[in-house]
Amino acid sequence: MSTITQAAQSVLKCAVMVALASSLAANAAAPVPPVAPPPAPKPKIKPYGGTVQNAVTAAYEYRTRILEGKPECRRFATESDTAFLDDKMQSEAKVALLQKIGAAAEANGCLAR
């Protein structure tokens, strides 16, 4: 190979290396986009309103203490739930029935202390 050919190849190699180096340098010098701040926390919304306290819910309070692990006590739980959820029954009758079921559950030892 002649000296002119070798010189031309060397110039080409240098030109390619300069082009690659300049593109790498341009990428390295490019500004980094700023990091976005974390989103603001969403306000907590209570999906349900407060518990309505009335004579019926007060009479139904014993239901949380029924010992459902005992088979003989499950009957009181079912009767209490049925009476509490009955929409056709008036409040006074519902309170009287719930109190009667609660007293029977307590007499049979079905209420936790």
Side-chain angles (χ1 to χ4, degrees), residues 56-57 59-68 73-89 94-95 97-102 105 111:
V56 176
T57 56
Y60 187 66
E61 180 276 326
Y62 72 89
R63 171 62 177 88
T64 60
R65 300 182 342 206
I66 290 180
L67 301 171
E68 294 187 44
C73 297
R74 290 187 192 134
R75 174 179 66 94
F76 297 113
T78 304
E79 289 176 6
S80 299
D81 294 342
T82 303
F84 183 74
L85 297 174
D86 188 1
D87 290 337
K88 297 176 184 173
M89 193 181 309
K94 195 180 284 191
V95 168
L97 181 59
L98 288 170
Q99 287 174 343
K100 179 181 171 187
I101 296 169
L111 295 185

Side-chain angles (χ1 to χ4, degrees), residues 12-79:
L12 275 173
K13 287 180 185 178
C14 288
V16 169
M17 293 210 301
V18 167
L20 288 175
S22 64
S23 67
L24 288 175
N27 286 339
V32 177
V35 177
K42 294 183 179 180
K44 299 197 186 236
I45 299 172
K46 293 182 181 179
Y48 305 107
T51 305
V52 177
Q53 290 295 329
N54 56 27
V56 176
T57 56
Y60 187 66
E61 180 276 326
Y62 72 89
R63 171 62 177 88
T64 60
R65 300 182 342 206
I66 290 180
L67 301 171
E68 294 187 44
K70 293 181 173 182
E72 64 272 11
C73 297
R74 290 187 192 134
R75 174 179 66 94
F76 297 113
T78 304
E79 289 176 6

